[in-house]
Short mmCIF file of all heavy atoms in Angstrom, two decimals:
data_model
loop_
_atom_site.label_atom_id
_atom_site.label_comp_id
_atom_site.label_asym_id
_atom_site.label_seq_id
_atom_site.Cartn_x
_atom_site.Cartn_y
_atom_site.Cartn_z
N TYR A 162 64.73 -110.64 36.43
CA TYR A 162 65.51 -109.89 37.48
C TYR A 162 64.80 -109.87 38.83
O TYR A 162 63.56 -109.96 38.88
CB TYR A 162 65.83 -108.39 37.07
CG TYR A 162 64.64 -107.51 36.80
CD1 TYR A 162 64.04 -106.83 37.89
CD2 TYR A 162 64.11 -107.32 35.53
CE1 TYR A 162 62.99 -106.02 37.73
CE2 TYR A 162 63.00 -106.53 35.29
CZ TYR A 162 62.44 -105.84 36.41
OH TYR A 162 61.39 -105.02 36.28
N GLU A 163 65.52 -109.79 39.87
CA GLU A 163 64.92 -109.81 41.15
C GLU A 163 64.29 -108.44 41.54
O GLU A 163 64.76 -107.40 41.26
CB GLU A 163 65.97 -110.20 42.31
CG GLU A 163 65.37 -110.22 43.66
CD GLU A 163 66.36 -110.72 44.78
OE1 GLU A 163 67.55 -110.95 44.34
OE2 GLU A 163 65.99 -110.67 45.96
N ILE A 164 63.22 -108.54 42.18
CA ILE A 164 62.40 -107.24 42.56
C ILE A 164 62.77 -107.16 44.01
O ILE A 164 62.42 -107.85 44.87
CB ILE A 164 60.96 -107.39 42.34
CG1 ILE A 164 60.64 -107.68 40.81
CG2 ILE A 164 60.20 -106.19 42.76
CD1 ILE A 164 59.20 -108.06 40.62
N ILE A 165 63.23 -105.89 44.43
CA ILE A 165 63.45 -105.49 45.78
C ILE A 165 62.48 -104.39 46.11
O ILE A 165 62.63 -103.34 45.58
CB ILE A 165 64.94 -105.04 45.98
CG1 ILE A 165 65.92 -106.00 45.47
CG2 ILE A 165 65.15 -104.80 47.46
CD1 ILE A 165 65.96 -107.38 46.23
N ASP A 166 61.50 -104.72 46.86
CA ASP A 166 60.45 -103.77 47.21
C ASP A 166 59.85 -104.15 48.53
O ASP A 166 59.27 -105.17 48.76
CB ASP A 166 59.39 -103.78 46.19
CG ASP A 166 58.36 -102.61 46.36
OD1 ASP A 166 58.18 -102.15 47.43
OD2 ASP A 166 57.79 -102.28 45.28
N SER A 167 60.05 -103.26 49.58
CA SER A 167 59.53 -103.43 50.93
C SER A 167 58.10 -103.66 51.00
O SER A 167 57.56 -104.20 51.98
CB SER A 167 59.98 -102.29 51.88
OG SER A 167 59.55 -101.06 51.46
N SER A 168 57.31 -103.14 50.09
CA SER A 168 55.88 -103.22 50.11
C SER A 168 55.45 -104.69 49.86
O SER A 168 54.31 -104.97 50.08
CB SER A 168 55.24 -102.31 49.05
OG SER A 168 55.58 -102.76 47.74
N LEU A 169 56.31 -105.55 49.41
CA LEU A 169 56.00 -106.97 49.15
C LEU A 169 56.17 -107.75 50.44
O LEU A 169 55.96 -108.98 50.44
CB LEU A 169 56.84 -107.49 48.01
CG LEU A 169 56.55 -106.89 46.68
CD1 LEU A 169 57.62 -107.38 45.64
CD2 LEU A 169 55.18 -107.11 46.14
N GLU A 170 56.62 -107.23 51.48
CA GLU A 170 56.99 -107.98 52.70
C GLU A 170 55.78 -108.62 53.27
O GLU A 170 55.84 -109.64 53.93
CB GLU A 170 57.68 -107.06 53.76
CG GLU A 170 58.22 -107.81 54.91
CD GLU A 170 57.89 -107.27 56.16
OE1 GLU A 170 57.32 -106.22 56.35
OE2 GLU A 170 58.15 -108.03 57.28
N ASP A 171 54.57 -107.98 53.09
CA ASP A 171 53.36 -108.50 53.78
C ASP A 171 53.09 -109.86 53.16
O ASP A 171 52.61 -110.78 53.78
CB ASP A 171 52.13 -107.63 53.48
CG ASP A 171 52.16 -106.46 54.32
OD1 ASP A 171 52.61 -106.46 55.43
OD2 ASP A 171 51.45 -105.39 53.95
N ILE A 172 53.42 -110.03 51.85
CA ILE A 172 53.22 -111.42 51.18
C ILE A 172 54.05 -112.48 51.80
O ILE A 172 53.62 -113.55 51.99
CB ILE A 172 53.42 -111.24 49.71
CG1 ILE A 172 52.42 -110.36 49.03
CG2 ILE A 172 53.27 -112.55 49.00
CD1 ILE A 172 52.63 -109.98 47.60
N THR A 173 55.38 -112.17 51.94
CA THR A 173 56.29 -113.14 52.49
C THR A 173 55.95 -113.43 54.02
O THR A 173 56.09 -114.61 54.44
CB THR A 173 57.78 -112.64 52.40
OG1 THR A 173 57.92 -111.42 53.05
CG2 THR A 173 58.19 -112.52 50.91
N TYR A 174 55.42 -112.45 54.70
CA TYR A 174 55.03 -112.77 56.09
C TYR A 174 53.85 -113.61 56.17
O TYR A 174 53.82 -114.40 57.06
CB TYR A 174 54.78 -111.41 56.86
CG TYR A 174 54.70 -111.61 58.37
CD1 TYR A 174 55.83 -111.54 59.12
CD2 TYR A 174 53.50 -111.89 58.98
CE1 TYR A 174 55.70 -111.79 60.51
CE2 TYR A 174 53.26 -112.02 60.23
CZ TYR A 174 54.44 -112.02 61.09
OH TYR A 174 54.33 -112.28 62.44
N VAL A 175 52.87 -113.54 55.25
CA VAL A 175 51.76 -114.38 55.33
C VAL A 175 52.27 -115.83 54.94
O VAL A 175 51.73 -116.82 55.59
CB VAL A 175 50.65 -114.02 54.24
CG1 VAL A 175 49.72 -115.13 53.92
CG2 VAL A 175 49.98 -112.78 54.75
N LEU A 176 53.21 -116.06 54.11
CA LEU A 176 53.70 -117.30 53.77
C LEU A 176 54.55 -117.90 54.88
O LEU A 176 54.48 -119.16 55.14
CB LEU A 176 54.54 -117.31 52.59
CG LEU A 176 53.84 -117.22 51.17
CD1 LEU A 176 54.76 -117.01 50.05
CD2 LEU A 176 53.00 -118.54 50.98
N LYS A 177 55.32 -117.05 55.62
CA LYS A 177 56.12 -117.50 56.68
C LYS A 177 56.06 -116.61 57.89
O LYS A 177 57.04 -115.78 58.08
CB LYS A 177 57.58 -117.80 56.21
CG LYS A 177 58.46 -118.61 57.12
CD LYS A 177 59.75 -118.88 56.48
CE LYS A 177 60.55 -119.72 57.52
NZ LYS A 177 61.87 -120.10 56.85
N PRO A 178 55.04 -116.63 58.68
CA PRO A 178 54.98 -115.74 59.78
C PRO A 178 56.06 -116.12 60.88
O PRO A 178 56.33 -117.28 60.99
CB PRO A 178 53.53 -116.00 60.36
CG PRO A 178 52.81 -116.74 59.32
CD PRO A 178 53.82 -117.47 58.53
N THR A 179 56.47 -115.11 61.56
CA THR A 179 57.50 -115.30 62.64
C THR A 179 57.04 -114.64 63.91
O THR A 179 56.31 -113.70 63.94
CB THR A 179 58.91 -114.79 62.28
OG1 THR A 179 58.73 -113.36 61.86
CG2 THR A 179 59.47 -115.52 61.06
N PHE A 180 57.37 -115.22 64.99
CA PHE A 180 56.94 -114.78 66.32
C PHE A 180 58.16 -114.78 67.25
O PHE A 180 59.01 -115.64 67.32
CB PHE A 180 55.96 -115.74 66.91
CG PHE A 180 54.65 -115.81 66.27
CD1 PHE A 180 54.45 -116.50 65.07
CD2 PHE A 180 53.60 -115.06 66.77
CE1 PHE A 180 53.23 -116.59 64.44
CE2 PHE A 180 52.34 -115.06 66.08
CZ PHE A 180 52.17 -115.79 64.93
N THR A 181 58.24 -113.55 67.93
CA THR A 181 59.45 -113.39 68.96
C THR A 181 58.81 -113.95 70.32
O THR A 181 57.61 -114.13 70.48
CB THR A 181 59.71 -111.92 69.10
OG1 THR A 181 58.59 -111.18 69.67
CG2 THR A 181 60.11 -111.33 67.78
N ALA A 182 59.78 -114.21 71.14
CA ALA A 182 59.46 -114.75 72.46
C ALA A 182 58.54 -113.73 73.15
O ALA A 182 57.63 -114.20 73.98
CB ALA A 182 60.74 -114.94 73.29
N GLN A 183 58.80 -112.44 73.08
CA GLN A 183 58.00 -111.45 73.72
C GLN A 183 56.57 -111.44 73.22
O GLN A 183 55.54 -111.27 73.96
CB GLN A 183 58.61 -110.10 73.47
CG GLN A 183 57.88 -108.91 74.19
CD GLN A 183 58.55 -107.50 74.03
OE1 GLN A 183 59.43 -107.44 73.13
NE2 GLN A 183 58.24 -106.58 74.64
N HIS A 184 56.48 -111.59 71.79
CA HIS A 184 55.12 -111.63 71.19
C HIS A 184 54.31 -112.79 71.79
O HIS A 184 53.16 -112.71 72.17
CB HIS A 184 55.24 -111.72 69.72
CG HIS A 184 53.92 -111.62 68.95
ND1 HIS A 184 53.87 -111.77 67.54
CD2 HIS A 184 52.67 -111.49 69.37
CE1 HIS A 184 52.59 -111.64 67.17
NE2 HIS A 184 51.86 -111.42 68.26
N ILE A 185 55.01 -113.96 71.82
CA ILE A 185 54.31 -115.13 72.33
C ILE A 185 53.88 -115.04 73.78
O ILE A 185 52.81 -115.42 74.12
CB ILE A 185 55.23 -116.35 72.17
CG1 ILE A 185 55.50 -116.64 70.67
CG2 ILE A 185 54.65 -117.63 72.78
CD1 ILE A 185 56.61 -117.73 70.34
N ALA A 186 54.71 -114.42 74.52
CA ALA A 186 54.41 -114.23 75.94
C ALA A 186 53.15 -113.35 76.25
O ALA A 186 52.48 -113.52 77.23
CB ALA A 186 55.58 -113.61 76.68
N HIS A 187 52.84 -112.55 75.26
CA HIS A 187 51.67 -111.59 75.43
C HIS A 187 50.43 -112.05 74.70
O HIS A 187 49.40 -111.33 74.72
CB HIS A 187 52.12 -110.25 75.05
CG HIS A 187 52.97 -109.52 75.91
ND1 HIS A 187 54.31 -109.66 75.90
CD2 HIS A 187 52.72 -108.67 77.00
CE1 HIS A 187 54.86 -108.93 76.83
NE2 HIS A 187 53.98 -108.37 77.52
N LEU A 188 50.39 -113.23 74.03
CA LEU A 188 49.31 -113.67 73.25
C LEU A 188 47.96 -113.80 74.03
O LEU A 188 46.94 -113.44 73.60
CB LEU A 188 49.57 -115.05 72.56
CG LEU A 188 50.48 -115.03 71.40
CD1 LEU A 188 50.74 -116.46 70.91
CD2 LEU A 188 50.02 -114.14 70.24
N ASP A 189 48.10 -114.19 75.32
CA ASP A 189 46.85 -114.45 76.06
C ASP A 189 46.53 -113.18 76.97
O ASP A 189 45.55 -113.20 77.70
CB ASP A 189 47.08 -115.63 77.00
CG ASP A 189 47.26 -116.96 76.19
OD1 ASP A 189 46.56 -117.03 75.20
OD2 ASP A 189 48.02 -117.81 76.54
N LYS A 190 47.43 -112.15 76.87
CA LYS A 190 47.17 -110.99 77.72
C LYS A 190 46.46 -109.91 76.99
O LYS A 190 46.09 -108.87 77.52
CB LYS A 190 48.48 -110.44 78.26
CG LYS A 190 49.19 -111.46 79.10
CD LYS A 190 50.56 -110.98 79.57
CE LYS A 190 51.27 -112.01 80.47
NZ LYS A 190 52.62 -111.57 80.85
N GLN A 191 46.30 -110.01 75.65
CA GLN A 191 45.56 -108.94 74.94
C GLN A 191 44.79 -109.67 73.84
O GLN A 191 45.25 -110.61 73.03
CB GLN A 191 46.60 -108.01 74.21
CG GLN A 191 47.68 -108.69 73.32
CD GLN A 191 48.67 -107.72 72.80
OE1 GLN A 191 48.79 -106.57 73.30
NE2 GLN A 191 49.38 -108.14 71.77
N ALA A 192 43.51 -109.25 73.73
CA ALA A 192 42.65 -109.83 72.75
C ALA A 192 42.36 -108.76 71.66
O ALA A 192 41.34 -108.07 71.70
CB ALA A 192 41.41 -110.25 73.34
N LYS A 193 43.28 -108.50 70.76
CA LYS A 193 43.22 -107.41 69.84
C LYS A 193 42.79 -108.00 68.45
O LYS A 193 43.37 -108.88 67.96
CB LYS A 193 44.54 -106.68 69.71
CG LYS A 193 44.54 -105.50 68.74
CD LYS A 193 45.85 -104.86 68.69
CE LYS A 193 45.84 -103.70 67.63
NZ LYS A 193 47.22 -103.04 67.55
N LEU A 194 41.69 -107.48 67.94
CA LEU A 194 41.25 -107.79 66.65
C LEU A 194 42.11 -107.35 65.47
O LEU A 194 42.66 -106.28 65.60
CB LEU A 194 39.81 -107.30 66.38
CG LEU A 194 38.67 -107.91 67.14
CD1 LEU A 194 37.31 -107.16 66.90
CD2 LEU A 194 38.43 -109.42 66.66
N SER A 195 42.36 -108.23 64.52
CA SER A 195 43.21 -107.88 63.45
C SER A 195 42.30 -107.73 62.21
O SER A 195 41.13 -108.31 62.12
CB SER A 195 44.23 -108.94 63.08
OG SER A 195 45.20 -108.94 64.15
N ARG A 196 42.67 -106.83 61.27
CA ARG A 196 41.88 -106.67 60.08
C ARG A 196 42.59 -107.32 58.83
O ARG A 196 43.72 -107.04 58.60
CB ARG A 196 41.72 -105.15 59.73
CG ARG A 196 40.72 -104.87 58.49
CD ARG A 196 40.50 -103.43 58.37
NE ARG A 196 39.70 -102.90 59.49
CZ ARG A 196 38.36 -103.08 59.60
NH1 ARG A 196 37.70 -103.61 58.66
NH2 ARG A 196 37.72 -102.57 60.62
N ALA A 197 41.89 -108.23 58.20
CA ALA A 197 42.43 -108.89 57.01
C ALA A 197 42.40 -108.01 55.82
O ALA A 197 41.71 -106.97 55.78
CB ALA A 197 41.64 -110.16 56.81
N TYR A 198 43.05 -108.34 54.81
CA TYR A 198 43.23 -107.50 53.56
C TYR A 198 41.87 -107.52 52.87
O TYR A 198 41.55 -106.62 52.07
CB TYR A 198 44.27 -108.06 52.64
CG TYR A 198 45.69 -107.50 53.02
CD1 TYR A 198 46.24 -107.84 54.17
CD2 TYR A 198 46.20 -106.51 52.18
CE1 TYR A 198 47.50 -107.28 54.53
CE2 TYR A 198 47.50 -105.97 52.53
CZ TYR A 198 48.07 -106.35 53.69
OH TYR A 198 49.35 -105.78 54.08
#
């Protein structure tokens, strides 16, 4: 059976990240460190 659970969204995002035009436009304007799992 299919599992519907929003907590699993992080896994699907790692497999297929998506970027909005707004996000792309600000990539070089902020140097923010990310924390990996």
Side-chain angles (χ1 to χ4, degrees):
Y162 62 84
E163 184 179 354
I164 302 170
I165 308 294
D166 189 333
S167 59
S168 68
L169 296 172
E170 193 231 347
D171 284 336
I172 296 174
T173 56
Y174 190 86
V175 164
L176 282 173
K177 193 172 183 178
T179 55
F180 292 79
T181 64
Q183 183 178 13
H184 185 182
I185 294 171
H187 287 84
L188 284 178
D189 296 323
K190 297 177 182 178
Q191 56 183 18
K193 183 180 178 182
L194 286 172
S195 294
R196 184 174 295 277
Y198 275 69

